């Protein structure tokens, strides 16, 4: 997709005239605009009657497909690099590409995002060099990008903590008078299904609600918190929790990039226009391990994974593009070739990443340093110099 702002849209010229209600009870509960078979649904109704639709140009549809393929390929490369000992750890996004690209592309330039450790697809959509998270997982830097420049905060490993950061940030946006109109700012906080059981997340729901913060809570329900299945987190669909906190919630098909885009764009626009927070539950599946340190075959069965394979976000987009003659085989070959070239380039750069000087750990702790830290740095430098042949 073009790096600009892919317009939200009103109506698809190609879509079959079908409307599907995402009912609060019964099935289907999901907002879906693209079925697993690649059929377009023109309009999907949310549980509160909101109509969701998109109207992308052919080029924008192809752009979304390209994003999905690229982020999957770069993610696979990172997993391979970890397996070869080049990264300490990797948290794969496999299966969650549509939720991340759809929501990532729905962000306007001025919007601020607060990720977990798995949002490589959103990071890509923010225009950040995909090498950055690999530096973090290689242990050679703390992330490397400037959150203010890209409007994308640092990865947060502490489960749920970023929802509080996002809430405070969003309250600040409102206090600064930056909401209102197309130019208004909105904030999005990413978290997982397991995180919904954290106190931090529930506290942030309360604060965002009562202060009407311009915030979208984007929960990727990938069905597991490491080995703990969803049924250990909740007895009700997660999106319905929002009602108890006093803001709307909606469940979207997280393997459908079009619906993920439409639902997120709508929620962000409501937030920027002063209508307060909302919760999006992107219903998806973690196709790989929790991280490279995990073995999911110990706690889930193969048939479950196979059932989700049939809902693959990329396969359905490809089926749609082919069916509608928006793209042909030469396009898919070209995208695969680009993905291959970018992953080779990523690998080459990871292998030449320099190890940091140990003393650099004192950098970037405070914007302007501190006397205590300066003293610690001096003592540590002295210690490093005490080693024979030390270059430090
Ligand atoms: C406060 C805290 N408790 C525990 C952990 C260990 N931990 C890391 S990931 C994880 C599971 C998170 O599951 P979920 O929120 O569903 O996100 P997912 O990894 O599935 O994307 C846990 C418990 C942590 N990082 N932080
Ligand atoms: Mg999870």
């Amino acid at each position: 997709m073009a790096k600009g702002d892919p317009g939200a849209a009103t109506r698809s010229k190609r879509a079959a005239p079908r409307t599907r209600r995402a009912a609060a009870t019964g099935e289907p509960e999901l907002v879906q605009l693209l079925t697993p078979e690649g059929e377009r649904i023109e309009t999907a109704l949310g549980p509160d009657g909101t109509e969701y639709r998109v109207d992308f140009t052919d080029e924008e549809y192809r752009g979304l497909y390209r994003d999905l393929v690229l982020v999957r390929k770069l993610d696979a490369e990172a997993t391979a690099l970890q397996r070869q000992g080049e990264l300490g750890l990797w948290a794969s996004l496999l299966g969650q590409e549509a939720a991340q690209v759809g929501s990532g592309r729905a962000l306007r330039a001025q919007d601020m995002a607060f990720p977990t450790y798995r949002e490589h697809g959103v990071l890509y959509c923010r225009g950040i060099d995909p090498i950055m998270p690999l530096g973090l997982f290689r242990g050679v830097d703390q992330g490397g990008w400037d959150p203010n420049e890209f409007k994308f905060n640092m990865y947060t490993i502490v489960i749920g903590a970023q929802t509080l950061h996002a809430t405070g940030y969003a309250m600040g946006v409102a206090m600064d008078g930056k909401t209102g109109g197309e130019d208004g700012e909105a904030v999005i906080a990413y978290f997982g299904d397991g995180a919904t059981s954290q106190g931090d997340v529930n506290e942030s729901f309360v604060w965002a609600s009562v202060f009407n913060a311009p915030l979208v809570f984007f929960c990727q329900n990938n069905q597991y918190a490491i080995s703990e299945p969803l049924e250990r987190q909740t007895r009700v669909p997660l999106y319905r929790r929002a009602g108890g906190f006093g803001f709307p919630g909606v469940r979207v098909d997280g393997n459908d990039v079009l619906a993920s885009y439409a639902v997120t764009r709508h929620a962000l626009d409501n937030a920027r226009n002063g209508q307060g927070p909302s919760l999006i539950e992107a219903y998806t599946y973690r196709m790989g391990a929790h991280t490279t340190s995990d073995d999911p075959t110990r706690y889930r069965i193969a048939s479950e994974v196979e059932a989700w394979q049939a809902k693959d976000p990329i396969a359905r987009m490809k089926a749609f593009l082919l069916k509608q003659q928006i793209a042909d085989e030469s396009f898919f070959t070209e995208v695969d070739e680009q993905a291959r070239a970018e992953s080779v380039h990523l690998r080459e750069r990871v292998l030449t990443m320099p190890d940091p000087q140990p003393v650099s750990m004192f950098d970037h702790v405070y914007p302007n340093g501190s006397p205590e830290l300066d003293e610690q740095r001096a003592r540590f430098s002295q210690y490093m110099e005490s080693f024979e042949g030390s270059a430090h």
Side-chain angles (χ1 to χ4, degrees):
M1 167 139 263
K3 295 281 183 251
D5 180 17
T10 45
R11 192 164 291 273
S12 164
K13 54 188 184 298
R14 292 173 191 275
R18 292 168 63 194
T19 298
R20 183 175 284 181
R21 175 175 291 276
T25 53
E27 293 297 325
E29 238 172 356
L30 296 163
V31 170
Q32 189 183 66
L33 294 173
L34 188 63
T35 70
E37 294 74 35
E39 299 289 345
R40 276 284 276 117
I41 294 159
E42 185 183 357
T43 310
L45 295 181
D48 63 355
T50 301
E51 290 189 10
Y52 295 102
R53 55 174 81 96
V54 291
D55 184 18
F56 290 114
T57 63
D58 288 357
E59 195 183 338
E60 286 169 338
Y61 279 127
R62 286 192 294 266
L64 285 170
Y65 177 84
R66 189 184 299 275
D67 287 341
L68 293 172
V69 171
L70 283 172
V71 300
R72 176 172 292 184
K73 181 71 177 168
L74 294 170
D75 181 76
E77 192 62 43
T79 299
L81 282 161
Q82 194 284 332
R83 284 291 177 254
Q84 293 159 18
E86 298 296 342
L87 304 181
L89 184 78
W90 185 249
S92 168
L93 61 60
L94 187 63
Q96 299 176 221
E97 297 88 351
Q100 295 199 13
V101 168
S103 61
R105 288 296 179 204
L107 291 163
R108 295 186 195 271
Q110 68 271 23
D111 296 339
M112 181 71 183
F114 286 80
T116 69
Y117 40 80
R118 207 185 289 286
E119 268 68 74
H120 323 308
V122 186
L123 174 140
Y124 184 86
C125 292
R126 290 317 258 165
I128 297 174
D129 186 337
I131 193 83
M132 293 297 182
L134 277 73
L136 178 69
F137 285 105
R138 191 173 164 87
V140 299
D141 63 41
Q142 310 284 347
W145 64 89
D146 177 349
N148 291 321
E149 184 186 349
F150 294 98
K151 306 289 281 185
F152 186 80
N153 203 47
M154 306 316 294
Y155 277 3
T156 300
I157 310 280
V158 182
I159 300 300
Q162 74 282 0
T163 59
L164 286 174
H165 308 155
T167 302
Y169 189 97
M171 287 167 63
V173 166
M175 285 172 195
D176 289 346
K178 291 185 184 161
T179 51
E182 288 279 290
D183 297 340
E185 234 180 279
V187 181
I188 190 166
Y190 288 89
F191 55 101
D193 45 295
T196 62
S197 299
Q198 288 289 115
D200 283 7
V201 174
N202 289 272
E203 288 159 17
S204 67
F205 283 178
V206 172
W207 279 74
S209 177
V210 300
F211 285 95
N212 206 44
L215 178 56
V216 175
F217 291 105
F218 194 91
C219 176
Q220 283 170 88
N221 176 1
N222 64 6
Q223 314 298 329
Y224 287 92
I226 314 184
S227 56
E228 287 293 300
L230 182 67
E231 71 224 35
R232 287 285 164 272
Q233 311 296 344
T234 187
R235 293 259 176 155
V236 297
L238 288 174
Y239 78 91
R240 283 200 231 157
R241 291 230 185 124
F245 290 92
F247 51 86
V250 59
R251 178 185 273 179
V252 66
D253 183 343
N255 286 16
D256 171 355
V257 70
L258 307 181
S260 295
Y261 177 95
V263 166
T264 311
R265 174 52 71 92
H266 180 81
L268 287 166
D269 284 347
N270 277 349
R272 85 178 76 257
N273 283 306
Q275 294 179 54
S278 54
L279 170 64
I280 296 171
E281 177 191 0
Y283 203 75
T284 183
Y285 195 77
R286 197 197 73 212
M287 293 301 291
H290 169 70
T291 67
T292 45
S293 297
D294 172 47
D295 173 8
T297 63
R298 296 180 68 129
Y299 55 82
R300 65 186 195 187
I301 53 172
S303 61
E304 181 183 295
V305 182
E306 280 160 23
W308 278 92
Q309 225 139 26
K311 301 178 192 172
D312 184 73
I314 298 183
R316 73 174 71 181
M317 195 62 181
K318 185 171 182 176
F320 163 67
L321 295 180
L322 280 170
K323 236 180 273 202
Q324 299 295 330
Q325 298 182 339
I326 298 173
D328 57 18
E329 282 305 332
S330 67
F331 168 75
F332 298 117
T333 308
E334 183 256 311
V335 171
D336 286 347
E337 179 48 37
Q338 183 189 350
R340 197 195 62 80
E342 288 197 20
S343 64
V344 168
H345 187 49
L346 187 77
R347 160 173 295 267
E348 286 166 358
R349 290 191 297 155
V350 167
L351 300 183
T352 57
M353 271 182 160
D355 285 345
Q357 294 295 325
V359 76
S360 71
M361 73 171 123
F362 294 97
D363 299 342
H364 309 303
V365 177
Y366 298 111
N368 303 313
S370 83
E372 196 191 352
L373 206 66
D374 290 346
E375 195 192 319
Q376 286 181 26
R377 181 191 286 108
R379 259 196 273 148
F380 186 72
S381 296
Q382 222 173 14
Y383 169 71
M384 293 303 286
E385 278 157 18
S386 70
F387 289 95
E388 206 175 319
S390 167
H392 305 288

